[in-house]
Amino acid sequence: MRVFVAIALAVSAVVLAGCHEQGPSAHLLSSPSLTKQQSAKCQLIVATNSAASKALAARAAHQNAIDTAQQVAQQHGWKHVSLRPRKVTPDPFWKAVRPVVTQDMLLKPDVVTAETYSQCWRGVVVPYVCTAGALACGN
């Protein structure tokens, strides 16, 4: 019997200007007294990857988020980019097969680093899938 493992990537991003976090979502600020850090432009990074194990899928999603943040920094001409972990909605690849990932499907514990917050589940088409979230801010 042959085992086929697919490595898949999915990334989405949302641009936030002058971001300031209040829990898991970012809000736009219009305060004239923003510090330099707060006035930086921010982008929410959501990166999904699959692999043969939960650890490998989490590592791949984490690296995909970092790579995407570097690309965003280049696109925006940022000299510096910092990443902070953000819990985001898990993003399954094949929405026709699995439109959403429910809380009871998530494999605990979540994988949280200084840069990303990853949630993982068993895939339908691939063994394990993880979505990593990060808020990338640069100036």
Side-chain angles (χ1 to χ4, degrees), residues 3-10 47-62 90-94 98 101 105-109 111 118-132:
V3 177
F4 176 76
V5 177
I7 303 298
L9 306 173
T48 297
N49 288 78
S50 64
S53 72
K54 176 185 171 186
L56 289 174
R59 199 170 303 136
H62 170 84
D91 186 24
F93 292 122
W94 293 278
R98 175 173 282 154
V101 176
M105 293 178 189
L106 295 175
L107 302 173
K108 295 298 177 187
V111 180
S118 297
Q119 298 175 85
C120 304
W121 62 94
R122 290 189 184 274
V124 176
V125 180
V126 294
Y128 292 89
V129 183
C130 296
T131 294

Side-chain angles (χ1 to χ4, degrees), residues 5-129:
V5 177
I7 303 298
L9 306 173
V11 178
S12 63
V14 176
V15 176
L16 304 167
C19 64
H20 179 74
E21 296 103 355
Q22 300 286 328
S25 64
H27 302 279
L28 299 179
L29 288 181
S30 59
S31 170
S33 62
L34 293 175
T35 66
K36 188 174 183 178
Q37 174 84 15
Q38 290 171 316
S39 65
K41 298 209 181 298
C42 296
Q43 189 157 335
L44 183 63
I45 307 291
V46 178
T48 297
N49 288 78
S50 64
S53 72
K54 176 185 171 186
L56 289 174
R59 199 170 303 136
H62 170 84
Q63 188 60 53
N64 191 16
I66 290 171
D67 294 345
T68 301
Q70 292 301 321
Q71 291 172 359
V72 167
Q74 286 180 344
Q75 290 171 354
H76 291 292
W78 296 345
K79 294 178 183 175
H80 174 75
V81 64
S82 63
L83 288 169
R84 289 172 281 186
R86 285 294 162 264
K87 188 174 183 177
V88 296
T89 302
D91 186 24
F93 292 122
W94 293 278
K95 292 176 180 51
V97 176
R98 175 173 282 154
V100 296
V101 176
T102 59
Q103 289 297 314
D104 62 315
M105 293 178 189
L106 295 175
L107 302 173
K108 295 298 177 187
D110 293 342
V111 180
V112 183
T113 70
E115 298 169 314
T116 63
Y117 191 114
S118 297
Q119 298 175 85
C120 304
W121 62 94
R122 290 189 184 274
V124 176
V125 180
V126 294
Y128 292 89
V129 183

